[in-house]
Amino acid sequence: MITVDDATELATSALTATGVPDTRARRTAELVVLADVWGIASHGLMRLPYYLSRLSAGGLRATADLIVVRDTGPVVAFDGNDGLGHWQLAEAAEVATRRADQYGLAAVSVGRSSHCGALGLYATPGIRHDLLTLVFSTGPAVMAAPGTATPLLSTSPIAAGIPGGPRPVVVDLATSAVARGKIAARARAGEALPPGWAVDANGAPTTDAHEALAGMLAPLGGAKGFALAFLVEALTGAAIGPSLATDVPDMFDHDHDPDPQQIGHLVVTINPRLLDVDGQAPQRMARLAANVEAAGGRVPGSNRTMPWDLDGGQSVPVADELVAELRSWSCGTLPNRHQRSNLHPTAVREERST
C-alpha cells in the first residue's frame, strides 16, 4: 500500500528523472494515480515503467509541446509531437470544456500522441462544468475481424462523462472483450485469463496472459463490437492520425521502445442545456440515474472519486516490487533489460520455442 500523495510524488519524480518537465510530469502522475484510485490498476502505476522505458529510448519525447494545427473556435486540432498522452489529452479536455462553454459544442483532437491511460479521466473537466463529454482513442492493432486472424483494430476505447444526479457518471470501456491492460496485469501477476478473452498469435483461444499479449483480443459482442471498434478507429486513427492501429508500435514490446506510437485522441464536449426543448435537461439526466438506482441497478462509474474530491492520504494497492522499480527510475537508475522485459511478447515466444 502507498498513499495517493506518496504515489503521486514517486511517479512525478520518476518522470522528471527521464526529462519530463515538472508541471507535465505531475499532471501525468496525478492521472496515472487516479486510475489506481478508481480501481483501474491495469492503467495505473503498473503502466508507468513502460512509459519510462519509452522516454529513455526516444519513443516518447519528454519535452514535446502541443502545437495548434488549426483552430476554428469550436474545433481545435493539436499535434502532440510524440509526447506523453496523459498531459496532452488532459489539456485537450480542458480546451474542449472552455470552448463548449463558449460555443455550446467543441471537438478537440490530439494527433501524433501516445497512450493516455484510462479514457474516463478526461471526462472529468466537462463533468465539473455540467457538460457532456465523449472521449475516443486508438492504439496498437490487437483485434481481428470476427472469423479472421489478422489484427486490424486496437481495443478502441470509449469514455463518456455525464453530469447530473447526486454523483457524476463516468462510462469507460474498451470495445474488445476486455481492456489489454487487464491482460498485462494478469501476465505480471502470473495469473490465467478467463476463457473467451483472447486468442494467441495463431488465432487459437488461450488463457495464457503472455500468449494473449502476443496474440489478439476478442471483440466485445462479436460483430457488433467490431463495428463499434471500427467507428472509434475511423474517428481517431483515420480522421486524426497519423497512424492507423496497424501502424502503432506495441508499448508492451520493448523492441519498439524507440518507435513513436503516433496515436490519435478525440474529445467532444456538449452543453446539454443547449440541446433540450424545455430547459429540463439537467433534471432529466438526474432522473435517468435515479431510475437505474430505484430499479436496483448500478449507474456506470458513479462510485468514482472526482479529482477535486481526492484524499491525498488515501491508500492505493501497489505491489512492493513496482514501488521499488519506480524508485530506481526516480533515482536515475535504469532497470536492467530482464526487469523491463517480463511482459515482452517476443521474449515470451523465444522462451517457449526452446
Side-chain angles (χ1 to χ4, degrees):
M1 287 286 189
I2 187 172
T3 67
V4 167
D5 283 347
D6 287 345
T8 303
E9 290 299 327
L10 178 59
T12 300
S13 178
L15 286 163
T16 55
T18 53
V20 181
D22 289 348
T23 301
R24 291 171 178 176
R26 179 164 295 278
R27 188 73 184 104
T28 299
E30 290 169 348
L31 291 159
V32 169
V33 172
L34 184 56
D36 276 312
V37 171
W38 282 5
I40 314 176
S42 58
H43 288 67
L45 286 168
M46 188 211 83
R47 291 261 185 167
L48 193 54
Y50 298 98
Y51 306 139
L52 297 170
S53 290
R54 293 181 58 75
L55 283 161
S56 294
L60 277 168
R61 290 184 58 212
T63 58
D65 289 322
L66 276 178
I67 305 298
V68 176
V69 177
R70 68 186 57 84
D71 184 347
T72 70
V75 178
V76 182
F78 288 111
D79 186 330
N81 287 285
D82 301 320
L84 275 164
H86 292 72
W87 73 261
Q88 292 189 338
L89 192 52
E91 187 162 326
E94 295 285 356
V95 171
T97 297
R98 293 194 296 270
R99 298 299 176 91
D101 270 337
Q102 182 177 358
Y103 297 102
L105 176 70
V108 180
S109 67
V110 183
R112 214 183 313 273
S113 186
S114 64
H115 187 263
C116 63
L119 278 197
L121 302 169
Y122 309 100
T124 59
I127 285 174
R128 193 164 198 180
H129 287 253
D130 294 322
L131 302 170
L132 284 164
T133 302
L134 303 173
V135 192
F136 309 91
S137 188
T138 186
V142 293
M143 192 193 310
T148 74
T150 301
L152 298 171
L153 303 179
S154 74
T155 59
S156 294
I158 300 174
I162 305 167
R167 295 181 301 278
V169 174
V170 178
V171 176
D172 190 343
L173 55 92
T175 54
S176 54
V178 65
R180 196 158 180 251
K182 289 188 176 180
I183 291 178
R186 295 217 176 194
R188 191 179 186 102
E191 298 174 354
L193 305 179
W197 274 19
V199 297
D200 64 19
N202 297 315
T206 184
T207 58
D208 185 297
H210 288 282
E211 289 184 350
L213 282 176
M216 291 164 281
L217 304 184
L220 177 69
K224 291 183 179 180
F226 185 82
L228 187 56
F230 187 92
L231 170 61
V232 174
E233 177 71 355
L235 288 169
T236 54
I240 299 169
S243 296
L244 291 174
T246 49
D247 302 318
V248 174
D250 184 355
M251 70 180 293
F252 292 125
D253 185 342
H254 287 299
D255 284 346
H256 287 291
D257 282 352
D259 304 324
Q261 289 188 297
Q262 304 204 321
I263 284 173
H265 314 293
L266 177 64
V267 183
V268 178
T269 306
I270 305 165
N271 184 342
R273 296 177 295 280
L274 299 181
L275 293 177
D276 67 22
V277 295
D278 57 2
Q280 297 297 305
Q283 291 85 344
R284 273 193 300 275
M285 285 194 290
R287 187 156 58 90
L288 173 63
N291 287 348
V292 173
E293 292 182 340
R298 183 181 71 84
V299 178
S302 58
N303 61 342
R304 290 179 176 166
T305 303
M306 293 294 102
W308 48 91
D309 293 327
L310 196 58
D311 177 4
Q314 176 182 344
S315 294
V316 289
V318 180
D320 292 341
E321 295 83 358
L322 178 56
V323 172
E325 183 177 355
L326 294 177
R327 283 178 178 153
S328 71
W329 279 104
S330 66
C331 294
T333 305
L334 183 69
N336 65 43
R337 176 76 176 179
H338 176 73
Q339 289 174 310
R340 295 187 295 121
S341 302
N342 62 332
L343 297 183
H344 184 185
T346 302
V348 171
R349 287 195 292 269
E350 289 172 351
E351 288 170 5
R352 295 188 176 212
S353 66
T354 58

